[in-house]
C-alpha cells in the first residue's frame, strides 16, 4: 500500500506547479544561469585562428575532439572562454574526496560538520585553480604547436591561461549559485546542458550521412540502440538491494513502544557516474596533451601510446574496463557507502539485521552484500561505457556517442526531476497545514459563543 507521501507525489499536476511560486522562481533562475553559460561558450579566446581550428575539429569530430567537445558543450570546438569546462573542478573534488577517505587530517575535517565542509570546499577551489592552470597552459602550448594561434608567443599563452582559468572559475561559481538558489545540482546541470546542446547538430550530421549513403537501416539501428541503452540505464539506476533492518522494543517513561522495521537501500551502482568520468579522464590524459600538436611534433613514445590507446582500440577498451571496475569498488567503499560507518550507525540506533549480530558481524555482512552488488554494478557501467565505443568504431558513426554521456544525462535528469517533485510535495504539505490552521481558527470562532 502506498504511503501518503507517495500518493501526494502521484497526484502532483500542472496546477500544483503553477501554485508553487518559489519553485517557479528557482527554475527560472536556473534557466537564466544556464543561458549565460551557453552564451559564454560562443565567446572566443583571443588570438585563435578560427578557420584552422574549425577545420581541425571537423576532422576530429568522431574521435578525441568529439569526446572533449561533448563535455564542454562545444566550447572546445569554438575555443570559447569555457573551453576547459567544469572538468578541472570535478577532478579536484574527486581528488579531495578520495584524500578525505584516506588521509587523516582531511578525515578529521569531515567530522567537524559545517566548518569542515567549508574548509574542504576551499581546498577543492584551490585544487581547481591549480589543475585548470596546468591544463590551460598545456592547451595554449598545443594550440601554438598546431599552428592554430594567429600571434603565438608569451602574450598569447598568458592571455589564454588567464581566460581559460577565469572561465572555469566562473563556471564553478555559476554551478554553486544554481545549487544554492536554483533547482538541481549546478555542476551536474552544466555538464548535462553541454551534452544536450551538442545532440541536435550531431543528429543532423548523422541523418545527412544516412541520406547521402542511403543506409537508413544503420540510422534506425543506431536510434534503436540509443533508446535501448537509455532504458537500460534508467532501469539499473533505479535498481536497489534492500536489506531488512529490525529495531527492538523500547521504553520511554511509562510507555512501551513496539519495535519497528525498515530497509537499508543499496543501489546497484552506488558510485554513480564517478568511475566512468575518472576512467575517461585518465584515458584522455595522453591524448589531451598532444591533441592539437599533430603527429609530426609528437615523440615516438607518445605516438605509440596514441596508436594503442586511441578510442576504439583493444588496449583502450581493456584499460577503460579495468579502470571502471577499480574506481567503482574504490569509490564506493571509501566514499559512497562505507560499511563500517553504516554498521556503527545501526548499532548506535539499536538497529540490527535479523540473524546478524550488531557491530563487526554486521560490517562483514554488509561487505559481503556490497561486494556482490558491485560485481553487477561495475559490469553494468563497463557495458554501458564500452558498447557505444565498440559500435561507433565499427559502424563509422561521424559523431561522438559515449556511455558516459548517457549516464550523465540519465542520472542528472532523474535527480532534477526528484528535486522538483520534492518541492511540489513540500508545497502541498504547506497548503494542507495552512488549511488545517484556518479551519481551526474558524472552528474556534464558532465555539466561542457557547463558551460564554
Amino acid at each position: 500500500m502506498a504511503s501518503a507521501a507517495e500518493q501526494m507525489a502521484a497526484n502532483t499536476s500542472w496546477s500544483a506547479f503553477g501554485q508553487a511560486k518559489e519553485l517557479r522562481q528557482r527554475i527560472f533562475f536556473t534557466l537564466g544561469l544556464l543561458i549565460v553559460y551557453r552564451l559564454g561558450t560562443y565567446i572566443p579566446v583571443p588570438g585563435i585562428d578560427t578557420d584552422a581550428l574549425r577545420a581541425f575539429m571537423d576532422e576530429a569530430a568522431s574521435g578525441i575532439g568529439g569526446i572533449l567537445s561533448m563535455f564542454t558543450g562545444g566550447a572546445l570546438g569554438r575555443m570559447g572562454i569555457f573551453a576547459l569546462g567544469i572538468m578541472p573542478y570535478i577532478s579536484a573534488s574527486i581528488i579531495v574526496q578520495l584524500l578525505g577517505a584516506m588521509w587523516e587530517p582531511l578525515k578529521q575535517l569531515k567530522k567537524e560538520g559545517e566548518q569542515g565542509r567549508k574548509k574542504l570546499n576551499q581546498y577543492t577551489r584551490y585544487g581547481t585553480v591549480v589543475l585548470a592552470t596546468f591544463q590551460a597552459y598545456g592547451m595554449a602550448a598545443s594550440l601554438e604547436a598546431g599552428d592554430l594561434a594567429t600571434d603565438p608567443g608569451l602574450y598569447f599563452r598568458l592571455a589564454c591561461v588567464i581566460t581559460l582559468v577565469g572561465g572555469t572559475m566562473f563556471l564553478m561559481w555559476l554551478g554553486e549559485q544554481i545549487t544554492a538558489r536554483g533547482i538541481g545540482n549546478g555542476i551536474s546541470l552544466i555538464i548535462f546542458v553541454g551534452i544536450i546542446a551538442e545532440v541536435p547538430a550531431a543528429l543532423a550530421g548523422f541523418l545527412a550521412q544516412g541520406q547521402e549513403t542511403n543506409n537508413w537501416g544503420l540510422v534506425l539501428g543506431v536510434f534503436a540502440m540509443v533508446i535501448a541503452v537509455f532504458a537500460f540505464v534508467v532501469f539499473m539506476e533505479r535498481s536497489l538491494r534492500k536489506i531488512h533492518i529490525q529495531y527492538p522494543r523500547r521504553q520511554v517513561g511509562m510507555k512501551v513502544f513496539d519495535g519497528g522495521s525498515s530497509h537499508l537501500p543499496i543501489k546497484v551502482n552506488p558510485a554513480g557516474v564517478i568511475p566512468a568520468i575518472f576512467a575517461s579522464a585518465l584515458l584522455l590524459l595522453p591524448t589531451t596533451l598532444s591533441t592539437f600538436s599533430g603527429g609530426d611534433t609528437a615523440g615516438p613514445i607518445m605516438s605509440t601510446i596514441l596508436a594503442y590507446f586511441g578510442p576504439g582500440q583493444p588496449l583502450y577498451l581493456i584499460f577503460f574496463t579495468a579502470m571502471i571496475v577499480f574506481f567503482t569498488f574504490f569509490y564506493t567503499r571509501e566514499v559512497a557507502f562505507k560499511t563500517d560507518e553504516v554498521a556503527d550507525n545501526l548499532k548506535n540506533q539499536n538497529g540490527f539485521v535479523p540473524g546478524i549480530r550488531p557491530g563487526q558481524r554486521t560490517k562483514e555482512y554488509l561487505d559481503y552484500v556490497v561486494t556482490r552488488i558491485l560485481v553487477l554494478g561495475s559490469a553494468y557501467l563497463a557495458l554501458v561505457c564500452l558498447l557505444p565505443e565498440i559500435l561507433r568504431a565499427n559502424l563509422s558513426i561521424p559523431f561522438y556517442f559515449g556511455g558516459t554521456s548517457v549516464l550523465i544525462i540519465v542520472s542528472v535528469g532523474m535527480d532534477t526531476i526528484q528535486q522538483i517533485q520534492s518541492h511540489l510535495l513540500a508545497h502541498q504539505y504547506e497548503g494542507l497545514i495552512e488549511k488545517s490552521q484556518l479551519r481551526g481558527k474558524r472552528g474556534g470562532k464558532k465555539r466561542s459563543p457557547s463558551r460564554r
Side-chain angles (χ1 to χ4, degrees):
M1 185 176 179
S3 63
E6 291 174 343
Q7 292 177 359
M8 292 184 65
N11 292 331
T12 54
S13 60
W14 286 107
S15 61
F17 176 78
Q19 296 173 0
K21 182 178 178 181
E22 181 185 357
L23 178 60
R24 289 202 313 274
Q25 292 176 348
R26 285 178 171 269
I27 292 177
F28 290 146
F29 180 81
T30 302
L31 292 177
L33 293 191
L34 291 178
I35 290 174
V36 171
Y37 158 64
R38 289 304 303 161
L39 292 176
T41 60
Y42 290 91
I43 302 175
V45 174
I48 299 296
D49 187 348
T50 55
D51 295 333
L53 178 66
R54 188 180 301 110
F56 172 81
M57 293 304 297
D58 289 341
E59 294 178 0
S62 61
I64 183 65
I67 299 174
L68 297 174
S69 184
M70 177 70 76
F71 283 105
T72 58
L76 181 64
R78 296 180 287 270
M79 196 48 64
I81 60 175
F82 297 149
L84 289 181
I86 202 66
M87 297 307 291
Y89 175 78
I90 293 177
S91 301
S93 62
I94 292 174
I95 292 172
V96 170
Q97 287 182 5
L98 294 178
L99 288 177
M102 298 181 295
W103 195 30
E104 194 60 35
L106 292 184
K107 284 184 178 180
Q108 296 300 323
L109 279 178
K110 293 176 66 176
K111 297 178 181 178
E112 293 180 2
E114 184 66 20
Q115 293 299 324
R117 187 182 65 82
K118 290 182 179 179
K119 203 70 175 177
L120 289 175
N121 288 339
Q122 187 175 1
Y123 291 155
T124 303
R125 295 187 182 99
Y126 292 154
T128 303
V129 174
V130 174
L131 291 177
T133 301
F134 277 106
Q135 292 184 18
Y137 183 81
M139 188 172 292
S142 299
L143 289 169
E144 287 186 350
D147 294 329
L148 300 178
T150 56
D151 187 17
L154 179 61
Y155 175 77
F156 170 75
R157 294 191 181 189
L158 185 63
C160 188
V161 169
I162 293 176
T163 303
L164 293 178
V165 174
T168 297
M169 299 308 294
F170 179 76
L171 279 185
M172 182 185 68
W173 176 83
L174 214 64
E176 292 177 350
Q177 293 300 310
I178 293 175
T179 303
R181 302 170 57 187
I183 194 76
N185 183 285
I187 302 298
S188 301
L189 280 175
I190 288 175
I191 302 177
F192 174 84
V193 171
I195 294 174
I196 292 295
E198 294 299 297
V199 170
L203 289 179
F206 185 51
L207 292 175
Q209 185 196 39
Q211 187 175 5
E212 292 177 359
T213 60
N214 200 22
N215 190 1
W216 292 107
L218 174 63
V219 174
L220 294 177
V222 171
F223 277 113
M225 182 200 69
V226 172
I227 294 173
V229 170
F230 269 98
F232 178 65
V233 171
V234 172
F235 173 77
M236 294 299 292
E237 289 296 323
R238 293 179 64 88
S239 300
L240 298 172
R241 166 69 159 88
K242 295 182 179 180
I243 298 179
H244 184 69
I245 305 296
Q246 187 71 36
Y247 294 95
R249 288 186 177 184
R250 57 192 178 92
Q251 182 175 355
V252 180
M254 299 299 294
K255 294 183 179 181
V256 178
F257 295 90
D258 292 335
S261 63
S262 64
H263 292 88
L264 176 64
I266 304 177
K267 295 181 63 176
V268 174
N269 178 28
V273 75
I274 295 298
I277 292 178
F278 217 46
S280 300
L282 287 180
L283 283 171
L284 293 178
L285 182 60
T287 48
T288 303
L289 294 177
S290 60
T291 296
F292 297 96
S293 59
D296 297 334
T297 57
I301 298 178
M302 183 62 68
S303 299
T304 303
I305 292 176
L306 293 177
Y308 285 101
F309 284 89
Q313 298 298 320
L315 285 181
Y316 173 91
L317 300 178
I318 293 173
F319 188 74
F320 197 17
T321 303
M323 289 296 97
I324 288 175
V325 173
F326 171 76
F327 285 118
T328 300
F329 278 84
F330 183 81
Y331 189 83
T332 299
R333 293 189 177 279
E334 297 296 334
V335 179
F337 191 90
K338 304 181 72 171
T339 55
D340 52 348
E341 293 183 358
V342 174
D344 291 339
N345 292 335
L346 287 176
K347 185 177 180 181
N348 295 334
Q349 297 171 5
N350 294 325
F352 63 93
V353 180
I356 307 295
R357 294 181 60 183
Q360 183 63 27
R361 293 289 187 183
T362 301
K363 176 187 177 301
E364 294 174 357
Y365 174 75
L366 292 177
D367 283 334
Y368 171 76
V369 173
V370 171
T371 301
R372 291 167 64 91
I373 291 175
L374 289 182
V375 171
L376 178 61
S378 59
Y380 144 71
L381 280 180
L383 177 63
V384 171
C385 292
L386 294 183
L387 181 62
E389 296 282 350
I390 296 173
L391 294 178
R392 184 171 55 84
N394 294 329
L395 299 178
S396 300
I397 299 175
F399 63 91
Y400 176 73
F401 167 66
T404 307
S405 304
V406 176
L407 290 169
I408 292 173
I409 290 173
V410 172
S411 60
V412 174
M414 291 174 59
D415 178 66
T416 305
I417 291 174
Q418 288 177 357
Q419 288 200 26
I420 292 175
Q421 289 180 342
S422 299
H423 279 279
L424 288 176
L425 192 61
H427 177 74
Q428 287 184 335
Y429 272 126
E430 290 176 359
L432 290 176
I433 293 173
E434 291 177 358
K435 289 180 180 179
S436 63
Q437 291 176 348
L438 290 175
R439 288 172 183 172
K441 291 179 180 180
R442 288 197 296 267
K445 291 180 181 179
K446 290 179 180 179
R447 289 192 298 270
S448 59
S450 62
R451 291 179 181 176
R452 293 177 183 172

